[in-house]
Amino acid sequence: MSMLIYLVLNQIISISDVIVNTDACVSSSDRKHSLGVVVTDENDDVKAGLIVPMVGSVPPEVAEAKAILAAISWVQATKLPVNVLQTDCKSIVDKVYNAKCHNSVVNDIVLCIKNLLLFSPNLVIVHVPRELNKIAHVCARAGLGLDSERVWNGSLPSFVT
């Protein structure tokens, strides 16, 4: 575990009711996409976050699924006490909780999400309206201008506006 992730973990481990929000942005013209993951407490105060810029054009649904996968992986790696992961992508939530096999480009990522959830039996993924997912969206959009991953604890970094 990297020192930065360890520091983030130590800053927020005492919080009992943390929620994770995820979102993704795609820039077809720049052939990039970005993932935003934000941890908030019961008062909606930002406690930590992760922004992952990625090279390559992907459909929005794939980017959204990758954001959920990154969030779950990060939560598990840092052992954050999270029971709720929120996203504004209803189609991915539906696919995760549907037993039917999907013949789509996003199926492999959905399968990875389902497998990771086996190791976090209390973690649920829920759909929320876009208005309740604004901070994660702002982070994902900011990631389109970055060249490397950013992890932080405390309030939003200054480059996120």
Side-chain angles (χ1 to χ4, degrees), residues 102-119:
H102 308 282
N103 294 323
S104 70
V105 68
V106 77
N107 188 50
D108 289 344
I109 302 169
V110 170
L111 186 58
C112 288
I113 291 168
K114 287 180 175 187
N115 288 337
L116 281 181
L117 286 174
L118 294 174
F119 296 99

Side-chain angles (χ1 to χ4, degrees), residues 74-133:
W74 186 54
V75 163
Q76 289 177 344
T78 57
K79 300 188 184 332
L80 291 175
V82 175
N83 290 327
V84 179
L85 188 150
Q86 298 179 339
T87 178
D88 58 17
C89 188
K90 186 172 180 341
S91 66
I92 295 298
V93 175
D94 291 345
K95 287 176 181 173
V96 167
Y97 291 111
N98 188 336
K100 292 183 180 179
C101 179
H102 308 282
N103 294 323
S104 70
V105 68
V106 77
N107 188 50
D108 289 344
I109 302 169
V110 170
L111 186 58
C112 288
I113 291 168
K114 287 180 175 187
N115 288 337
L116 281 181
L117 286 174
L118 294 174
F119 296 99
S120 297
N122 295 329
L123 180 62
V124 294
I125 303 170
V126 297
H127 172 258
V128 295
R130 187 167 303 217
E131 302 81 45
L132 298 179
N133 209 34

Side-chain angles (χ1 to χ4, degrees), residues 2-126:
S2 79
M3 182 54 101
L4 186 55
I5 291 175
Y6 181 77
L7 291 172
V8 170
L9 173 64
N10 281 339
Q11 290 292 318
I12 62 177
I13 195 68
S14 62
I15 301 166
S16 60
D17 293 325
V18 294
I19 294 175
V20 172
N21 285 75
T22 68
D23 206 1
C25 279
V26 176
S27 174
S28 300
S29 60
D30 294 331
R31 296 179 189 237
K32 289 178 76 174
H33 60 288
S34 177
L35 318 176
V37 179
V38 178
V39 179
T40 57
D41 65 13
E42 65 277 359
N43 299 319
D44 285 335
D45 293 328
V46 174
K47 294 299 176 183
L50 169 69
I51 298 175
V52 184
M54 302 183 134
V55 176
S57 264
V58 296
E61 187 180 47
V62 170
E64 294 280 359
K66 288 170 78 173
I68 293 169
L69 183 61
I72 295 170
S73 297
W74 186 54
V75 163
Q76 289 177 344
T78 57
K79 300 188 184 332
L80 291 175
V82 175
N83 290 327
V84 179
L85 188 150
Q86 298 179 339
T87 178
D88 58 17
C89 188
K90 186 172 180 341
S91 66
I92 295 298
V93 175
D94 291 345
K95 287 176 181 173
V96 167
Y97 291 111
N98 188 336
K100 292 183 180 179
C101 179
H102 308 282
N103 294 323
S104 70
V105 68
V106 77
N107 188 50
D108 289 344
I109 302 169
V110 170
L111 186 58
C112 288
I113 291 168
K114 287 180 175 187
N115 288 337
L116 281 181
L117 286 174
L118 294 174
F119 296 99
S120 297
N122 295 329
L123 180 62
V124 294
I125 303 170
V126 297

